[in-house]
Amino acid sequence: MLTPPEIQSARVNPTSWTNQNSRFLAEIPTNVRFSASKNPADLRKSPSIICISARKINIFSSSAAFAQDVIKVGAVAPKTGPLAGGSEVSYWPNVHLWVSDVNGRGGLNVDGKKMMLELIEYDDQTNPAETIKAVQRLVDQDGAQIVLPPYSTGLNLAAAPIYARYGLPMVTSTTTTDQAAELSKKFPNVFITLGGAKPIAQGAVDVLTKMRDAGDLGNKIAMVNVADAFGIELAETAKPAFLAAGFEIVYESSYPLGTQDLSPVMRGAKAAKPDAFVAWSYPPDTFALTQLAQVEDLQVGAFFTAVATAFPAYGDLFGASVEGVLGVGGVDANSSVFQEYASRHLAVTGAKPDYWASAPVYASFQVLEKSIEAVGLDNAKIIDHIKNTSFDTVMGVLDYDDANNNPSFWTVGQWQGGVFKGVASTGREGAVPAIKKGAWK
């Protein structure tokens, strides 16, 4: 399948992390990036417009007849700012893959007519105000008929009112919140695919409890979090759950999103002599905290970091040291559906999917695709169809409950044998037992 230059420039090369370890480690967390763009400022100047298909198409010279057969699809997410690293792994490659897959099949079947997808991208710079402005521009100026949801919990929650104002279906895939019931009442167009904070936190508690009961660790925990919607909600949910399970929290700390130096956090955690370390972190801090744990020689029976632990680049960068590292997410690594999706992801984008959010991101696009093909481009009908339909996706069956929440998702995964495997979920098959974290290598 042909891949346009615009996508080639955004490819992630997992091996480059290994080849450039010394430079990368010196730059954490300020320059953690998963984009090959050499000039991030260029990404902010204007949207890139991409049309992908099994044959080469130049949308700028398309005939009027062809233009009538095009659906404009808008996507807005970070390409710069603190969350650019995560979106360039989990979000943007799946946007490109989905458009490529749909156009490779001849387009979306809308009311019996095949329509190709034209992709318009905006960088929101990890800024909620820019996310909202981009959505408005996509609808009011660009004429986008499909607007994909943003990236991350905070940016999705900030943008929910503008999606509701336009009546857009908002099938989020990178939002973790326990407010699904409240959100669906206020914004009936919003759907939560990735799960809630409470099940994820409880999954971590359950895994560590089993490890403690098996003699793999004691009951002292150091817990830190990034101070944004994601990290705060998970930390506030996890603390009472750990205490109720009989753990003692010997160290707590939070840090602002984009913090440049996390060494005081790790030194403080080590000084508390914990048996387990838990961080509700975003990609730059996940990488930084893991590196600092090795620098400080933090020896614990369980080491848990959140977003980006499931990234293939995490395993590439830290090598054998990742064995036994726990994190949010996971997959059924033996699933033939996931394996086929992962192979296609690599072939089209040049990068492997991560082992947590990548599949839900793509699955959320499948939900939109199947709903549009079932009821057309009427947003109200699309939203109603999503509420009342069970979907076969790359993450398995996806069936939203009465609160527009996906009740079955992976909560905890662990690096075992070079793969980030699911060890706990709220109803997914394929979990493996967790193992004790060994020494850093």
Side-chain angles (χ1 to χ4, degrees):
M1 181 172 294
L2 295 174
T3 306
E6 293 92 336
I7 288 185
Q8 293 173 352
S9 68
R11 280 181 171 173
V12 180
N13 183 353
T15 60
S16 68
W17 292 92
T18 303
N19 297 336
Q20 301 175 13
N21 274 354
S22 58
R23 177 183 64 81
F24 174 74
L25 294 178
E27 295 174 345
I28 290 175
T30 57
N31 290 314
V32 177
R33 291 292 181 270
F34 296 77
S35 171
S37 172
K38 295 182 179 179
N39 187 359
D42 291 342
L43 296 172
R44 298 194 294 266
K45 291 178 181 177
S46 63
S48 57
I49 302 178
I50 304 170
C51 189
I52 314 166
S53 75
R55 61 188 186 280
K56 195 170 184 178
I57 296 176
N58 183 350
I59 65 170
F60 301 104
S61 61
S62 300
S63 65
F66 175 76
Q68 294 174 3
D69 297 335
V70 167
I71 298 174
K72 290 185 177 181
V73 177
V76 52
K79 292 189 179 185
T80 55
L83 298 184
S87 67
E88 291 287 6
V89 171
S90 303
Y91 184 84
W92 287 115
N94 282 289
V95 171
H96 299 152
L97 175 61
W98 178 64
V99 174
S100 175
D101 284 348
V102 170
N103 285 350
R105 294 192 290 269
L108 277 181
N109 188 343
V110 182
D111 298 326
K113 182 179 182 180
K114 286 284 189 176
M115 302 185 73
M116 304 294 282
L117 303 183
E118 175 187 317
L119 177 60
I120 305 171
E121 301 180 13
Y122 284 104
D123 171 20
D124 63 18
Q125 306 165 50
T126 317
N127 184 332
E130 294 299 321
T131 307
I132 294 167
K133 286 194 293 186
V135 173
Q136 291 175 311
R137 180 172 178 176
L138 282 166
V139 177
D140 294 335
Q141 298 182 35
D142 299 322
Q145 295 163 281
I146 300 172
V147 180
L148 304 177
Y151 174 82
S152 85
T153 299
L155 296 177
N156 270 286
L157 295 180
I162 195 67
Y163 276 77
R165 182 186 303 174
Y166 287 118
L168 297 166
M170 192 179 189
V171 188
T172 70
S173 53
T174 56
T175 299
T176 301
T177 179
D178 287 327
Q179 308 305 313
E182 291 82 354
L183 277 171
S184 65
K185 289 179 182 177
K186 189 172 184 179
F187 307 118
N189 60 313
V190 175
F191 298 83
I192 306 296
T193 305
L194 203 56
K198 186 174 181 180
I200 289 175
Q202 191 61 52
V205 172
D206 291 344
V207 169
L208 266 60
T209 298
K210 289 180 181 178
M211 294 177 69
R212 181 193 61 191
D213 294 347
D216 291 335
L217 53 90
N219 71 337
K220 296 181 179 180
I221 292 178
M223 187 171 71
V224 305
N225 67 276
V226 60
D228 88 324
F230 168 84
I232 292 171
E233 185 171 7
L234 276 161
E236 290 180 347
T237 302
K239 181 177 179 178
F242 275 123
L243 294 175
F247 287 97
E248 178 186 1
I249 299 179
V250 295
Y251 178 79
E252 290 181 78
S253 180
S254 65
Y255 52 87
L257 181 66
T259 294
Q260 301 299 303
D261 183 10
L262 290 170
S263 55
V265 173
M266 186 54 66
R267 285 197 295 268
K270 183 183 179 182
K273 299 181 180 179
D275 301 304
F277 176 84
V278 176
W280 304 109
S281 52
Y282 267 142
D285 17 318
T286 292
F287 279 89
L289 289 167
T290 304
Q291 172 62 14
L292 288 167
Q294 296 177 64
V295 170
E296 297 293 335
D297 193 30
L298 178 70
Q299 296 297 331
V300 288
F303 185 86
F304 179 106
T305 47
V307 185
T309 314
F311 289 1
Y314 183 91
D316 291 341
L317 181 61
F318 295 114
S321 284
V322 303
E323 183 71 7
V325 170
L326 294 158
V328 176
V331 298
D332 177 1
N334 295 320
S335 163
S336 60
V337 175
F338 178 81
Q339 290 174 350
E340 190 277 331
Y341 153 73
S343 296
R344 203 169 67 254
H345 189 288
L346 178 60
V348 173
T349 72
K352 297 176 182 178
D354 73 52
Y355 296 106
W356 179 34
S358 284
V361 170
Y362 189 89
S364 71
F365 302 155
Q366 288 181 298
V367 168
L368 277 175
E369 174 188 345
K370 295 178 185 216
S371 297
I372 290 170
E373 292 197 330
V375 301
L377 288 167
D378 184 305
N379 284 330
K381 291 182 179 179
I382 293 171
I383 293 167
D384 185 66
H385 186 264
I386 296 172
K387 289 176 180 286
N388 296 290
T389 306
S390 177
F391 301 89
D392 289 323
T393 73
V394 295
M395 63 179 288
V397 175
L398 191 50
D399 190 0
Y400 297 96
D401 61 21
D402 292 340
N404 291 358
N405 184 56
N406 164 36
S408 301
F409 51 91
W410 290 100
T411 56
V412 181
Q414 185 176 52
W415 283 96
Q416 297 183 14
V419 177
F420 190 76
K421 301 177 180 179
V423 298
S425 77
T426 60
R428 295 291 170 185
E429 297 181 353
V432 299
I435 60 174
K436 181 179 179 179
K437 176 73 180 83
W440 300 107
K441 300 178 182 179

